[in-house]
């Protein structure tokens, strides 16, 4: 009963402040204040405040939260164990080894590529550095 009265008083005070703000031609701020002021009144009208006050002082409700926490702990721990076992199967060469075709070839663009396509890249890199060196010499660096 006391919580409902306090929430209603807070809502009335907030709406009063919003009205004063609107009188000063600050309508956006007044609308925002009115929205914040209506939240506690809405909570009282829906019964959420009464439910919360009954829940906060109920040992049965706290025991229920404890049971829910234990259930969550069991779910999360079993999921973690399940993931750990799946990781061991992949590293041991289990089912996922067959995911790659046995006749798969090496990648066509290797790091050590040889041939005529590799030479222009090296020449372009040398030209870039020669331009930089020329600029640095010009400035005496």
């Amino acid at each position: 009963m006391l919580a409902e009265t306090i929430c209603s008083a807070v809502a009335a005070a907030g709406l009063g402040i919003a009205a004063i703000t609107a009188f000063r031609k600050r309508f956006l701020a007044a609308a925002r204040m009115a929205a914040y002021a209506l939240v506690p009144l809405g909570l009282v009208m829906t019964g959420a405040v009464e439910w919360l006050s009954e829940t906060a002082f109920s040992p049965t409700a706290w025991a229920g939260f404890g049971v829910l926490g234990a259930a969550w702990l069991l779910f999360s721990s079993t999921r973690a164990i399940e993931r750990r076992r799946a990781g061991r199967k992949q590293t041991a060469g289990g089912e996922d080894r067959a995911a790659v075709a046995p006749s798969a070839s090496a990648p066509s663009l290797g790091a050590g590529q040889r041939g005529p396509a590799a030479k222009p890249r090296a020449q372009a890199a040398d030209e870039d550095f020669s331009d930089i060196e020329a600029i640095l010499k010009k400035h005496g660096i």
Side-chain angles (χ1 to χ4, degrees):
M1 184 74 169
L2 181 64
E4 287 88 358
T5 306
I6 292 172
C7 286
S8 299
V10 167
L15 289 174
I17 293 170
I20 292 170
T21 306
F23 182 73
R24 292 180 181 170
K25 306 284 188 214
R26 298 184 60 207
F27 297 111
L28 186 62
R32 190 176 297 126
M33 285 181 199
Y36 282 124
L38 291 174
V39 170
L41 186 62
L43 290 173
V44 167
M45 293 175 78
T46 59
V49 173
E50 182 181 350
W51 175 81
L52 187 63
S53 65
E54 288 175 4
T55 304
F57 299 112
S58 171
T60 306
W62 285 106
F65 284 126
V67 169
L68 286 174
W72 176 81
L73 186 64
L74 286 171
F75 278 127
S76 61
S77 62
T78 55
R79 181 68 180 155
I81 292 170
E82 192 175 79
R83 285 183 180 173
R84 184 174 292 167
R85 286 185 182 170
R88 286 183 190 164
K89 285 182 182 177
Q90 289 177 358
T91 58
E95 303 165 3
D96 290 312
R97 182 172 281 203
V100 177
S103 62
S105 63
S108 60
L109 297 174
Q113 182 179 3
R114 306 274 188 235
K119 291 180 182 177
R121 289 183 188 164
Q123 291 174 355
D126 290 340
E127 291 176 6
D128 290 339
F129 288 124
S130 64
D131 293 341
I132 294 171
E133 288 176 6
I135 292 171
L136 291 173
K137 286 180 184 178
K138 179 179 175 182
H139 291 288
I141 297 176

